[in-house]
Amino acid sequence: MFGSRNDVPLDKDASSRFLPWLIAVMVYLATMSLIVALTMNKLANRWDQGLSNSLTIQVPAGQSPAERLAIEKKTVLLLQEFKKIPDVKKAEMLTDGELNKLLEPWLGKDVVLHDLPIPLLISIELSQSSARTLDAINALTAQNLPTASIDDHQRWLGNLLGLAKIIGTVSLLVVLLVGGAAALMVILVTRMGLAIHRQVVELFHLMGAQDAYIANRFQLHALKLSMAGGFAGLLLAGLTIAAFSTLLGQANSALLPSFTLTATEWGLLLLIPVGASLVAMITARLTVLRSLALMP
Amino acid sequence: MDFKPLVRFQDVHLRYGNGPDVLHQVNLTLEPGSFHFMVGPSGAGKSSLLRLMYLAHRPTTGRLSLFGRDVSQLDRKETSMLRRRIGIIFQDFRLLDHLTALENVALPLTITGMPLEKVRRNVSELLSWVGLADNLDSKPPTLSGGQQQRVAIARAVIGRPSLLLADEPTGNLDDKIAERLLFLFEELNKRGTTIVVASHNEALVNRFNHPVFKIINGEVRLIRSAPVIEQNTESGAA
Ligand SMILES: Nc1ncnc2c1ncn2[C@@H]1O[C@H](COP(=O)(O)OP(=O)(O)O)[C@@H](O)[C@H]1O
Ligand SMILES: [Mg+2]
């Protein structure tokens, strides 16, 4: 019952020629979108790790050198406290030399920093970021240096992560939309097939063929065509990614995402043509069953 | 297996859309093993009556029973099972051009899920019986009209139907061949198949000794009843 001869001559229909191409394009788009979603997800994770493991504390220096000296002393003590927190890997005050280097482009060389009310900067690196560690740092800072402000990059990171999430979501939406469009296409092609082969379908029906038998003919046809198109689309997407990777590899940019995918991710991509084929098959089946239900 | 009657129309009316009654107040019964002709001019409603019997249409009003079942009470599965017991010879044959003669004849069996290989022998035997032993693998377009018709007949009887419905099977045949075809139907009838043959050729029909229904103004009347045929008199309770 499952896939004997082709007694409904669907192979000769125009649909047999254009459906695989349509499905190929759809699968290509869906695959690229999914890759974008995956990459965005990975990128967001990387940023999340890379950035939230470090934070900066700004301590406003007083107006007078004496004041500044007192604050410096307090800061050094605070650094010792920070180092007692388990997850703090490094806690240090940026030296005048380092600050000089940072400010050089704006202020020029050889500025005597002690003469300017430049804030002190503490740089902290965490082996692992957690709310508890951040809370501890916050508490210590507020206690010892109430005027200091902590920049844990969270707000900036939050915006970036939000953007990455939006791009990821939009990409997944594209996958769904493309899937819906493919299903509509299959409905159209199946209806066309039913119209073209109405005589055959009616004949089978009158001979006592069950609806499922007739639906099988169409669903297997849709499955065959969309598998061919689906895997062609996946292959094209694979080639595109390979080309991108080569180009990006040459550019060797740390900021740009890498397109290397894990086995799981390849499996996920493989699901697109398989999913498209199943959607096509089920859509064709339901379309035929619905139209057969109208026959007495 | 015997149903008394095999086919029963009770006050059946048939209209297409909002048109007039094509069939009006039809009351008739067909006993198992009977052989009837259905005559009337073109457009009288012969094909429509047959379509009701092979379940391509349902009565607009009235009750139609086949094999003892009210057809309006059947679910889809029962309907398709019932259809498998009816052989149809369409006026235009309705052979599938992309299949061989053998595959065409095998259709009533293969659509039930039987593999072609299992039925190949039976089918080729039947095709030999209708004189097409040399054309098993020919596609219908390469066959003559007469050959196509024999393929259509073979297809209609391969499933050993209890009821055989033939719509103008003698349509464009010359009288000699038409007569031979009707002899073939008589042969099948002797083996127990109930037969209804629609024809507009009353002269031809009159050469056979079978009851005749005539459709006039949408009404079906028995215009000639034939003597009871011996081999159909054994009683069989449904
Ligand atoms: N599907 C249909 N829709 C509308 N009218 C139909 C249809 N089939 C047949 N008719 C009409 O019903 C009448 C009987 O047709 P038909 O049963 O084909 O007669 P016959 O087979 O005796 O020539 C004709 O007037 C025909 O035009
Ligand atoms: Mg007719």
Side-chain angles (χ1 to χ4, degrees):
Chain A
M1 191 120 175
F2 208 72
S4 62
R5 301 158 308 121
N6 187 27
D7 46 16
V8 184
L10 293 162
D11 283 337
K12 293 189 185 99
D13 294 356
S15 67
S16 301
R17 260 168 286 132
F18 76 75
L19 190 62
W21 287 105
L22 285 173
I23 298 284
V25 171
M26 303 253 160
V27 166
Y28 180 81
L29 288 175
T31 306
M32 295 307 285
S33 298
L34 193 60
I35 288 174
V36 167
L38 287 174
T39 307
M40 276 298 149
N41 189 35
K42 252 196 283 190
L43 206 57
N45 278 339
R46 214 170 67 185
W47 287 341
D48 205 3
Q49 273 171 9
L51 294 176
S52 59
N53 281 351
S54 70
L55 47 96
T56 321
I57 300 174
Q58 274 188 40
V59 189
Q63 293 298 324
S64 69
E67 233 176 313
R68 187 181 171 82
L69 212 66
I71 286 177
E72 259 186 40
K73 259 185 205 147
K74 270 193 196 170
T75 304
V76 172
L77 284 176
L78 186 57
L79 285 179
Q80 300 311 313
E81 293 299 310
F82 283 158
K83 282 177 185 159
K84 287 181 193 154
I85 302 173
D87 277 339
V88 172
K89 212 163 65 182
K90 217 161 81 179
E92 56 186 17
M93 190 162 45
L94 294 187
T95 62
D96 284 354
E98 284 169 314
L99 275 177
N100 258 332
K101 224 183 250 169
L102 279 174
L103 293 172
E104 213 177 77
W106 285 279
L107 302 176
K109 268 184 187 170
D110 302 327
V111 182
V112 184
L113 284 176
H114 283 282
D115 296 345
L116 290 170
I118 303 237
L120 295 164
L121 284 181
I122 299 171
S123 158
I124 297 177
E125 266 182 50
L126 306 174
S127 56
Q128 187 188 336
S129 165
S130 72
R132 200 178 337 128
T133 311
L134 290 175
D135 283 348
I137 292 171
N138 271 321
L140 278 172
T141 311
Q143 208 174 14
N144 297 300
L145 288 171
T147 52
S149 66
I150 299 181
D151 180 8
D152 60 359
H153 309 287
Q154 289 298 335
R155 196 180 307 150
W156 180 73
L157 192 67
N159 289 340
L160 212 60
L161 288 178
L163 186 67
K165 263 187 200 134
I166 287 172
I167 294 178
T169 309
V170 167
S171 303
L172 288 180
L173 214 65
V174 169
V175 174
L176 286 183
L177 280 179
V178 162
L184 279 179
M185 213 74 80
V186 171
I187 291 178
L188 218 75
V189 165
T190 305
R191 289 235 178 107
M192 247 167 66
L194 278 170
I196 295 171
H197 303 290
R198 183 167 185 85
Q199 288 260 325
V200 179
V201 169
E202 213 174 75
L203 179 70
F204 284 14
H205 183 66
L206 291 178
M207 282 177 169
Q210 296 202 0
D211 293 352
Y213 178 88
I214 297 171
N216 262 341
R217 293 303 177 259
F218 285 85
Q219 85 190 41
L220 287 174
H221 181 66
L223 181 69
K224 211 171 67 183
L225 296 185
S226 45
M227 289 258 262
F231 283 101
L234 184 67
L235 190 72
L236 271 176
L239 290 177
T240 310
I241 293 307
F244 262 112
S245 295
T246 315
L247 286 176
L248 289 179
Q250 280 162 2
N252 201 13
S253 167
L255 241 186
L256 285 171
S258 84
F259 281 116
T260 44
L261 299 174
T262 64
T264 320
E265 286 165 341
W266 277 115
L268 206 60
L269 291 184
L270 209 63
L271 278 183
I272 292 186
V274 172
S277 304
L278 286 180
V279 166
M281 184 173 110
I282 292 165
T283 308
R285 179 182 186 81
L286 294 179
T287 308
V288 174
L289 287 181
R290 252 180 65 182
S291 121
L292 284 177
L294 299 177
M295 290 187 180
Chain B
M1 283 302 276
D2 268 356
F3 298 96
K4 271 179 162 291
L6 199 69
V7 178
R8 180 165 196 187
F9 286 75
Q10 289 168 280
D11 296 327
V12 167
H13 292 248
L14 176 69
R15 271 189 295 274
Y16 292 107
N18 292 323
D21 269 8
V22 168
L23 293 172
H24 185 75
Q25 193 88 21
V26 178
N27 282 288
L28 66 84
T29 57
L30 304 178
E31 299 299 326
S34 61
F35 188 136
H36 288 85
F37 286 110
M38 190 79 57
V39 298
S42 187
K46 303 181 293 296
S47 298
S48 299
L49 191 64
L50 291 184
R51 275 204 289 273
L52 286 175
M53 286 193 240
Y54 60 75
L55 300 173
H57 272 295
R58 294 298 157 91
T60 309
T61 61
R63 182 183 156 123
L64 168 61
S65 307
L66 294 177
F67 303 98
R69 301 286 307 273
D70 180 344
V71 298
S72 67
Q73 303 296 314
L74 300 171
D75 64 29
R76 279 190 90 71
K77 179 151 186 188
E78 289 171 325
T79 308
S80 71
M81 289 306 156
L82 205 141
R83 282 187 169 118
R84 291 179 187 181
R85 308 179 58 188
I86 303 172
I88 316 162
I89 301 168
F90 298 96
Q91 188 165 0
D92 51 359
F93 310 151
R94 298 205 199 171
L95 302 176
L96 303 187
D97 288 348
H98 65 286
L99 299 181
T100 64
L102 186 125
E103 289 167 337
N104 264 289
V105 173
L107 275 178
L109 304 177
T110 52
I111 58 154
T112 69
M114 285 190 209
L116 184 63
E117 289 322 309
K118 264 200 173 160
V119 300
R120 188 180 288 274
R121 233 189 56 173
N122 274 346
V123 173
S124 46
E125 267 171 21
L126 180 60
L127 274 168
S128 304
W129 186 62
V130 294
L132 289 171
D134 297 333
N135 301 92
L136 299 183
D137 296 322
S138 311
K139 305 240 163 125
T142 68
L143 297 173
S144 73
Q147 288 173 321
Q148 287 182 22
Q149 182 171 48
R150 280 178 277 159
V151 174
I153 293 164
R155 187 183 66 188
V157 301
I158 186 70
R160 302 184 166 277
S162 312
L163 176 63
L164 179 67
L165 306 172
D167 197 356
E168 308 266 5
T170 58
N172 35 23
L173 301 178
D174 67 53
D175 270 15
K176 256 266 153 9
I177 299 175
E179 223 174 68
R180 278 225 299 271
L181 177 65
L182 292 177
F183 287 144
L184 182 70
F185 287 163
E186 286 193 317
E187 200 62 39
L188 291 167
N189 180 237
K190 279 182 195 142
R191 296 177 189 197
T193 309
T194 308
I195 292 182
V196 180
V197 176
S199 172
H200 64 269
N201 186 345
E202 284 191 55
L204 176 71
V205 163
N206 285 337
R207 270 179 261 153
F208 287 80
N209 193 19
H210 297 296
V212 178
F213 287 111
K214 183 162 189 168
I215 307 180
I216 308 160
N217 299 326
E219 289 181 26
V220 182
R221 294 184 203 153
L222 192 64
I223 56 166
R224 195 186 80 204
S225 51
V228 175
I229 302 163
E230 286 72 33
Q231 57 268 42
N232 291 328
T233 51
E234 76 257 26
S235 66

